Amino acid sequence: MSAPRPPKVAGIDSTVPAPPHTAAPLTGVPSAASPSDAALPPGVLIQDRLASWVSDLTTLHELTERLIKTDSLDEALREVLGAGAALVGARRGMAVLEPADGLGPTSTIGLGLAHADLGTIETVPRGSGSYGRLLDGLPEAGPAPSSARPAHVPEPIAIRDVRTEEGLDPRHREVAARLGYAASYALPLATEEAGRLGAAVWLYDEPAEPDERRRHLIGLYGRFATEHLARLLQVERARVRVATVAEELLPSRLPRVPGVRLAVRHRTGPQGGGDWYDALPLPEGALGLAVGSVSGTGPSALAAMGRLRASLRAYAVMEGEDPVAVLSDLELLLRLTEPARSATALFAYAEPAQRRIVLAGAGHAPPLVVGDHRTEFVETSLSAPLGMLTCWEAPSVELSPAPGETVLLYTDGLLRRTGEATDRAFARLHAAAASVPVADRSDPGAVADHVLRTLLPQGIDPAVEGEDVVLLAARFD
């Protein structure tokens, strides 16, 4: 009579022998059972299996918790590579993001591989490399996919020994020998809902492949990772679309007007704010400069910004010599067409030949003059934003920049990105402008770059939530 067999328990069978690995076993995953386990009572085996199941669930929970904290595609791919290496018992790996719809973005991330190593791996014909076969949707040779996996999601591909595997391209064996790996395990980053987003492959230093238990773990993790990557992909594509629309609504290039040189630095936040700028040549060698900000974010704010900027250009051509009249017309248009929206704006009518500027602002931050002998804000009168009062009006201000001085026009986003209180942010902006090296003051672009680096030393990551930033620099000869 055969020995009684313990009943099956949901979870992962810890009695399956583990293959040789080239990295330390995954923390929290029980080791293979010893032959003496066969003599243990059935109840003890059930408890061991339950403990193994709980341990695996805990491990997956910890790894997925770490994954969901990532907020960019490259960061998520690095986390997937590190977690997958621990789950399958490998030391090196590569993840490729290549959405099947062809809309991008694409990316290749390595774990324990230099940039040159990644390039070497990419020289292997795609039909021979395991990750390439997954990206191209080629089915794995061998048993048919299980019914639990969607038909259009390819199976993982395990190459236990690159030297003896049949059907491999000679270039594949050559690259494996050069980089010192002997086996690989490739997992599709794909689900039925998200489609095929990419693939990840882990490399072993010795002939090996993950056992059934580890395959099950990495499969569960891979499906969760794919859904997370799909969400990040949607966010990234939306951010790119918003940034593209915002850039298309703004000038594609700055005009060239004798007596003045222009430079601009502009960044749009991920939700798409309404900050804008403009520079347009006017009759008799004059130049119109404008910056502004529309309340709100997203597509509606971008559309409102485009309408306001286009209208301001028309008003500037008709009556640009009077900045107050330009902003009054703009305020009337905003109040009649978009009564629920407000906006700040600053318009300057410049005559470079005479080095004369007449400007007016509506709830906007004052310009900053930077030169060898002074760094000071232009004293403008306090005024309400457009759309806030029944009738907007404020006096204009005239100034005469000296030869070699640069006038900086900017939006409130530049101040708010500092995270400081308003008065503190103004002080920091003044200090940043005053510290521009003398050698850089002849180049308005260098002046703008120095101010941004000093004011925002961490830079402006377009994927990070925050205000739009506009900095328009005009240097007068």
Side-chain angles (χ1 to χ4, degrees):
M1 181 180 297
S2 60
R5 301 183 61 183
K8 294 183 178 180
V9 179
I12 300 175
D13 189 354
S14 62
T15 62
V16 178
H21 298 295
T22 58
L26 181 65
T27 303
V29 177
S31 59
S34 63
S36 61
D37 288 344
L40 295 176
V44 174
L45 291 178
I46 293 176
Q47 291 178 357
D48 288 344
R49 292 185 180 183
L50 286 175
S52 174
W53 180 49
V54 172
S55 175
D56 291 337
L57 290 179
T58 302
T59 299
L60 285 176
H61 174 74
E62 293 175 353
L63 294 178
T64 54
E65 282 290 310
R66 290 171 52 181
L67 179 62
I68 62 176
K69 293 179 181 179
T70 59
D71 54 8
S72 69
L73 288 170
D74 283 357
E75 185 183 2
L77 288 174
R78 290 189 179 92
E79 180 61 33
V80 169
L81 275 179
L87 289 171
V88 302
R91 187 171 60 88
R92 294 179 290 173
M94 180 178 72
V96 179
L97 180 68
E98 190 177 301
D101 57 15
L103 300 179
T106 61
S107 179
T108 302
I109 302 295
L111 172 68
L113 296 170
H115 184 73
D117 297 336
L118 297 177
T120 302
I121 294 176
E122 290 176 346
T123 64
V124 176
R126 286 172 70 99
S128 176
S130 53
Y131 82 92
R133 294 165 63 186
L134 294 178
L135 291 176
D136 292 337
L138 300 177
E140 180 185 6
S146 63
S147 58
R149 186 180 298 276
H152 67 282
V153 176
E155 287 285 316
I157 298 177
I159 300 179
R160 179 173 178 77
D161 192 340
V162 175
R163 295 169 298 181
T164 60
E165 184 79 12
E166 296 181 359
L168 292 186
D169 189 275
R171 178 60 181 169
H172 192 164
R173 304 186 200 277
E174 178 184 344
V175 168
R178 177 182 300 181
L179 299 182
Y181 70 88
S184 65
Y185 185 76
L187 180 77
L189 298 176
T191 63
E192 187 174 9
E193 296 77 15
R196 188 181 304 110
L197 303 184
V201 57
W202 291 275
L203 308 176
Y204 296 90
D205 295 342
E206 303 170 359
E209 63 179 326
D211 59 16
E212 185 63 28
R213 177 162 164 256
R214 290 181 177 268
R215 287 181 185 235
H216 183 64
L217 279 173
I218 191 60
L220 293 175
Y221 180 81
R223 286 191 285 275
F224 179 88
T226 301
E227 296 298 334
H228 181 66
L229 289 170
R231 290 189 290 269
L232 293 179
L233 184 64
Q234 291 177 354
V235 172
E236 176 64 15
R237 286 178 173 177
R239 186 194 67 78
V240 171
R241 285 194 292 266
V242 168
T244 301
V245 172
E247 293 298 328
E248 291 297 324
L249 290 174
L250 295 173
S252 58
R253 62 184 180 88
L254 297 174
R256 294 185 177 182
V257 177
V260 64
R261 286 188 291 163
L262 303 174
V264 68
R265 300 295 182 264
H266 172 242
R267 297 292 185 274
T268 301
Q271 292 187 356
D275 286 15
W276 52 276
Y277 67 92
D278 207 348
L280 66 156
L282 297 174
E284 300 179 358
L287 175 69
L289 300 173
V291 291
S293 178
V294 176
S295 61
T297 58
S300 63
L302 289 175
M305 176 265 283
R307 290 191 292 268
L308 238 61
R309 173 181 168 268
S311 301
L312 184 140
R313 292 177 71 91
Y315 298 146
V317 171
M318 292 186 295
E319 47 192 354
E321 295 183 16
D322 186 356
V324 173
V326 172
L327 293 185
S328 296
D329 293 343
L330 196 65
E331 194 274 338
L332 178 60
L333 174 72
L334 183 67
R335 183 155 46 89
L336 293 177
T337 59
E338 301 190 52
R341 194 181 296 278
S342 63
T344 65
L346 186 147
F347 177 73
Y349 176 81
E351 295 175 306
Q354 290 77 33
R355 291 194 302 278
R356 173 177 175 267
I357 299 177
V358 181
L359 61 89
H364 206 81
L368 182 61
V369 180
V370 182
D372 293 335
H373 304 291
R374 64 169 175 168
T375 300
E376 59 185 28
F377 290 102
V378 178
E379 294 186 5
T380 57
S381 59
L382 295 176
S383 60
L386 303 176
M388 296 293 289
L389 301 178
T390 303
C391 182
W392 176 89
E393 186 173 354
S396 61
V397 176
E398 183 174 330
L399 68 145
S400 298
E405 288 188 333
T406 300
V407 179
L408 297 178
L409 283 66
Y410 52 93
T411 58
D412 293 342
L414 178 63
L415 303 174
R416 292 173 182 161
R417 279 270 187 173
T418 64
E420 304 277 3
T422 303
D423 56 345
R424 177 74 174 168
F426 273 117
R428 288 186 56 187
L429 174 59
H430 184 277
S435 65
V436 175
V438 176
D440 291 341
R441 294 188 179 182
S442 61
D443 182 0
V447 173
D449 290 335
H450 177 85
V451 170
L452 284 177
R453 285 195 306 267
T454 306
L455 202 61
L456 305 172
Q458 302 300 322
I460 307 173
D461 188 347
V464 175
E465 188 66 29
E467 300 281 341
D468 290 6
V469 172
V470 169
L471 181 59
L472 178 61
R475 183 188 185 276
F476 290 82
D477 298 332

